[in-house]
Every structure is written in structure tokens, then in C-alpha cells.
Amino acid sequence: MTLRQRGAFFYLFLFLCSRNAWADVEVTMHKNIEVYLGDSVEIPCQYKFYEVDGVPKFVMIQWFVVKNAVTRARARIYYGDDQHQVVDGDTEYTGRIQMTTDQHGTKLTIKKVQLSDQRNFICSVNGLSDGTMERKTYLSVFAPPEAPIIKAVQAGISVTNEMPSTVAACQARNGFPQFNITWYRNNIPLVPSAGRVKVWTGETVESSGLYSAHSTLEYKVLKEDKDANFSCEVSFYVPGAIRTVESISVGITVHYPVTMVELWRESPAGLIKEGDTVELRCQGDGNPTPTFIFSRAREDGADEDLDSRGNVLMLQAVSRRDRGLYRCRLPDGTSHDDVKGEMELNVHYLDPAVVVPKESEAMLKGECLTASCNALSSLKTSMVWYKDSKVVGEGNMLHLQDATYETAGEYVCEVTVPALPTLHTNGSVHIVVHGGPQLVGEEQEVHLKAAVGKTVNLSCEARGHPAPRITWIFDGCQNWHEVFSKSGDHMTHSVVSFAVDSDISAICNTSNDFGIDVRAFNIKAIPLVSSSTHFSPAEGSGVIFVVIILCLLLLGILGSVLYFLHKKGKIPCGRSGKQDISKEKTAKDDIVMEMKDNGIAKSEDAVLLNAVNGDKNGTNEQ
Ligand SMILES: *[C@@H]1O[C@H](CO)[C@@H](O)[C@H](O)[C@H]1NC(C)=O
Ligand SMILES: *[C@@H]1O[C@H](CO)[C@@H](O)[C@H](O)[C@H]1NC(C)=O
Ligand SMILES: *[C@@H]1O[C@H](CO)[C@@H](O)[C@H](O)[C@H]1NC(C)=O
Ligand SMILES: *[C@@H]1O[C@H](CO)[C@@H](O)[C@H](O)[C@H]1NC(C)=O
Ligand SMILES: *[C@@H]1O[C@H](CO)[C@@H](O)[C@H](O)[C@H]1NC(C)=O
């Protein structure tokens, strides 16, 4: 009989009520009593004498323990009668038991129950002639084991292993009687089955007599076990019941092959342009994470492997040459060829704008010109033309019609990509308008009146390209000089100044390669009678008067001739008195200086006559 077979999880209150035919005494005991290790336990033993009205003359009570279940060898541990109650000395119970006795029975109390106390205790009642009988109680001792300790295998377990692999080990110590270990996966018991689950259990008896057990779980791992929880549980008997204690849950590392690979762009978001740094990432569903090989499909169809770091491929400063089909795959031979990630990478670009005509273009006045602006791009572009920061056109064509000098200037074509605003460029063309001089202002002839002695400014401004030359032709006066001169890309401006001493006619002759334009000025001198004293301090220098008279005379004659000729539109070129300002400037300046030294030039009362706003009456005296 094993302990387990004798064990029971219910109390036996079976009183044996049978009566021996030859005995007049009846002894009653529990068949089994269960107790925790270390506790105290009471084992009662009741008796009754029938023939002597329940009260015999002499009763002797002895308690024995069975020392050997096979030989049934027994040892007495207690003796009691009318006179003596003796706990036998030198037994394992000496000092550990107590006896309580009354008329109907006796009760054995064992303190600090030990494992060795699991045995039969015999109560023997002897009334000599009144009868003799003995009964026994089996004492069962229980010690719950410590909580089980589980340890999962640390290394990864591959699903490709053909046989079940060791997954975890479980240990529970110091229990009594023997106990069981059960394995659980996600709280469902794992029942051993061929090729799937195998459990190895071992049991040891500690020096204390308590049992310790360990169990190893072998298990055929599947991919879904990567998230599974494994635990073990001990089940053990306690007085009247079975109890269980579970270990903590542990997970295992499952190694499984890659079945799917994904390749995607991590950054930047949106459209990619040349110069961007692009980060591609690859991820597979396998464990452990494999090292991927990145490649790009070349034009000829072959894959070109690329340098990558882990599962990241960085493409620095991409260009349009980096466009194409990118792939990531596992090292050759580790998986099927079709397990790979793919993605198309597009890199957008915008080439520098090309404006036709290039750089600089000359137009003739009145001409038309269409300029075009083109910038090669992978995306739709939008063009706006600017001149002097003002929008002058949209689209890739710019039409310049009927060119004037205002048409001249810098035209910038600004190219943008609406879908990718960070892409933009520009190009420009410089338009030059060629044409003959064109004087600013309407009049062909300007008539002025000025008081004698006053200083008069004549202004002449002409548009044209190349910049017109301005030549002044004075009749009857040699004291004029240029006080202002400016020449730009499309204009020339000259102001001359002189003191009025008599009627003067002057011609502003502007010319360039494309033509000429002239304007005549007629200045009528108004004699100043009251201020003639101004001239008296001229120290009687008759020369001045002679000059003045000569001037007046010459002016009179030449003026009428010029006027006559001019009216007929036939001013002859290269007349005497003509001065090319640009060539004879220094000489003229000298003249001015000389005249000033003579005290003739008077500049406080001067009139600037701007031809643009020129007054028909011509005189503007301050
Ligand atoms: C495993 O245990 C963890 C924590 O104990 C829990 O969050 C998880 O849901 C469990 N998994 C399963 C499949 O029961
Ligand atoms: C241990 O397992 C055996 C065999 O399955 C069973 O008979 C016994 O009752 C179990 N003991 C406990 C304490 O669960
Ligand atoms: C044209 O492009 C140049 C160089 O890219 C830039 O410096 C300039 O500001 C641009 N001009 C305009 C009008 O956008
Ligand atoms: C004006 O200048 C041009 C070029 O120098 C010359 O050919 C022309 O004759 C001049 N006209 C007059 C009226 O002086
Ligand atoms: C004539 O022009 C000169 C130079 O621009 C200027 O200094 C002077 O004041 C002007 N004279 C008159 C009368 O406008």
C-alpha cells in the first residue's frame, strides 16, 4: 500500500461497530486522522464493557505504534492501569505524547507531529476476564510544498525545430506527501502528446524526508507562442482537500523566419526634390530581425546593392539619377526570393530657367518681340515675368509689342513649381530698344524772352539708343557753357547756361546712329534801361560794346536766316559755331572762366527752361 493510495481528501468518521463474538469489550477509533506537519493531534480511543455493566474490576490500556508495516513489528509507547500511567521511556514518543483518560476512554495527544508519525497507532484495552480488544488509527501527515519556481529557456527557440524543444523548467520543494506538477500555456493545461508536448518529471527526497520535484517542459514551438505565457502549478494534498499553487507566468523567445518584408520611406514626407536626404526603412515579420540588403533596380534590370545601416537606407542629397525601384531583401539563401520589400522612389527637379533671347537683346523702336522662358522639371511649372519688381506677364511667353524706350530694361522670368513650392528658379533677359533720338517735350521751337544781363538755362533731354549725343549750336553768342550733363542707357540730358546780352537763337541737335532730332530756342533780349548803370562800371571798355553790337548784328542776320531755313525744314549740318559738347568741353569751360573774369556773366537772375514744361511765352523772370 502506498501513501497515496491510503490518502484521502475526506475525513473518515467510520466507526466500526462490529462486535466480536468472543469479546465483551468494544473499542472504537477513527480509521484515519490527518494532520499538518508540526501541529498537535489527538487520537481518541473509546471502549465499553458489556458483561460487567460497563465497569470492569481491572482495565489495562496500552498504546503501540507499528514500526514496520510489513513485519507488523510494534513498539509500546504507553501503559496504564489502576495504579500506573506510564509513557514508555526510550521511544521516539517519550516526552512528546500525553494521555487523557476517563471511564469510557483514553485520548493520545501527539505534539509537534513529525513525518515519522505517519503510521498506525494501536489502542489495546484489556479487562482480563471481562474481555480484551484493540483497534488502530492511521495518522496521515501533510506538508504543503513551497511555491513553484519556473525558469524559461533564455535562448530563442526556433519554430523550425523538428522535435519538441525544452521551453521551461519548474521546481517545487519540501512537500509531503508527493505532489504533482502540471504545465499551463495561457492558463490551459498542457497535456502530453506525441511530437507536441513532453514533460519530464523528477522527484527527490530531502534529508528531512520531504519531497522535492522538478519538471521540464518540452514543447513544439509555433510562431504564435511568441506571445504565450507559460506557467507551472503544483497540486498537493492537505487535510481533507487538494490544493494548488501556481508559478508566475513566463514568456519565451520564439525564432521564426521572415514571411513578409515591407519597405517604405520614413522621411521626408511629401514630394522629394533634388538635394533632399531620403531615409528608407525596411521591416520584416521574422524574429530575430534579419539584416536586410538594399538594392536598386538598374536600367538593365540587374539589382545594384547599396550600402545600408541595419534596416535603414540613407540617400544623401538625392538627384534624379537616384530615381527608380528600390528593394530590400534577406541575405541570399535565408529565405524565398519572393520575400522582399519594394518601393518606387521619385525625385523631382527643376532645371535652371532658360530665357530666349539670352542675356541681352536689341529691339528697334516699334518692333515686336516674344521672349520665352523654359525650365525643365518633373512637375508642372508656373512662370511669372517681372520688370522692375512689377508683374508684366504670366506663362512661358512674354510678348513685347510696339517697343518704346519704356520697353527697355531687365525682364525676370520667375519659375515656380506649385506642387513643390521649395523648387523655384529664375532667368532674365535685358531688352535694349534702339532708335533715333527723341526729344522730351512736344515743341519743335521754343520762344523765350529774357532781360538783358540775366542768365538763362536751356535744357535739352533726348531719349534714344545708343544714347544720343547733344550738340548745341548758338548763333550770335559765344558765352554759353554747359552746366549740366547726364547720359544714361537710353537718354542724354544737357543744360547750358548763358547771359543774355542780345537776341539769341540756339539749336539743340541730338543725334545717334539712327537719326537726329533738333529743337530751336529763340531768346528775345529785353533791354534794361534802368539797369544800364550796371554796365557803366564796365570801365569804358569799348570792346564789350563792340562785341555786343556785333553779336546783335550777327544774331539779327543769322537768326532770320536760321529761322527761315528752319521753317523750311532744311537746317544745314556742320555750321560754324556748332560745338560738340563732348569734344570741346574743356575749351568752352575756359571761355566761361574768361568771361566771368571780365565780370560780364551774371547768374543771380537765371531762368531754367525745361523743354518738357517749356512755356510758350518763354520768359520767366524772377
Ligand atoms: C501574458 O501575460 C501578460 C502579463 O502577465 C498579459 O498581459 C498577456 O495578456 C498574457 N498573454 C496571454 C496570451 O494571455
Ligand atoms: C497526481 O497525479 C496522479 C496521477 O494523475 C493523481 O492520481 C493524483 O491524484 C494527483 N495528485 C494530486 C495531489 O493532484
Ligand atoms: C533669381 O535667382 C537667384 C539665384 O537663384 C536669386 O538670388 C534671385 O533672388 C532670384 N531673383 C528673383 C527675382 O527671384
Ligand atoms: C546735327 O548733328 C548731326 C550729326 O553730328 C549733323 O549731321 C547735322 O547736320 C546737325 N544738324 C544741324 C542742324 O546742325
Ligand atoms: C542753371 O543751371 C545750373 C546748373 O543746374 C544751376 O546751378 C542754376 O541755378 C540754373 N540757373 C537758373 C536761373 O535756373
Side-chain angles (χ1 to χ4, degrees), residues 223 226 256-262 283-290 292 339:
K223 184 177 167 184
K226 69 190 168 71
Y256 47 92
V258 176
T259 58
M260 195 234 1
V261 176
E262 202 185 350
Q283 188 169 294
D285 61 349
N287 188 40
T289 307
F292 295 102
V339 178

Side-chain angles (χ1 to χ4, degrees), residues 240-460:
I242 290 180
R243 235 188 269 153
T244 60
V245 173
E246 202 181 327
S247 72
I248 56 164
S249 282
V250 291
I252 57 171
T253 306
V254 179
H255 284 178
Y256 47 92
V258 176
T259 58
M260 195 234 1
V261 176
E262 202 185 350
L263 175 64
W264 74 95
R265 163 155 53 104
E266 182 75 11
S267 70
L271 298 174
I272 297 172
K273 62 176 186 303
E274 289 193 322
D276 283 350
T277 293
V278 177
E279 180 181 339
L280 302 185
R281 271 176 188 270
C282 189
Q283 188 169 294
D285 61 349
N287 188 40
T289 307
T291 307
F292 295 102
I293 297 171
F294 287 82
S295 64
R296 186 169 69 111
R298 280 204 314 248
E299 241 106 86
D300 60 16
D303 261 16
E304 169 194 15
D305 285 354
L306 304 166
D307 275 346
S308 59
R309 186 170 42 79
N311 62 339
V312 176
L313 175 69
M314 294 293 273
L315 300 169
Q316 307 280 358
V318 290
S319 75
R320 65 198 80 176
R321 287 191 308 278
D322 295 314
R323 286 185 300 182
L325 185 66
Y326 284 78
R327 289 198 178 102
C328 72
R329 65 172 200 278
L330 295 168
D332 297 330
T334 57
S335 74
H336 294 295
D337 279 355
D338 53 347
V339 178
K340 64 186 170 213
E342 278 186 353
M343 67 160 285
E344 190 79 33
L345 184 74
N346 200 358
V347 178
H348 293 290
Y349 56 89
L350 175 66
D351 280 348
V354 175
V355 175
V356 177
K358 275 185 185 156
E359 288 161 26
S360 180
E361 178 73 6
M363 290 174 79
L364 289 174
K365 260 184 77 186
E367 262 190 344
C368 295
L369 180 130
T370 297
S372 71
C373 175
N374 286 293
L376 197 62
S377 175
S378 51
L379 290 165
K380 200 171 163 345
T381 55
S382 155
M383 282 115 174
V384 177
W385 294 85
Y386 292 91
K387 178 171 187 267
D388 301 328
S389 307
K390 284 195 204 73
V391 175
V392 293
E394 278 171 22
N396 80 318
M397 300 295 233
L398 177 70
H399 302 286
L400 298 175
Q401 260 146 0
D402 194 11
T404 66
Y405 295 129
E406 273 72 38
T407 311
E410 180 95 2
Y411 290 84
V412 177
C413 166
E414 180 86 29
V415 184
T416 55
V417 177
L420 196 45
T422 45
L423 272 186
H424 57 83
T425 183
N426 65 56
S428 67
V429 60
H430 189 84
I431 297 289
V432 178
V433 178
H434 286 287
Q438 186 184 325
L439 283 160
V440 176
E442 299 292 311
E443 300 89 345
Q444 292 249 300
E445 254 186 84
V446 179
H447 295 275
L448 304 170
K449 282 178 188 157
V452 169
K454 293 210 169 163
T455 303
V456 170
N457 279 357
L458 296 183
S459 167
C460 190

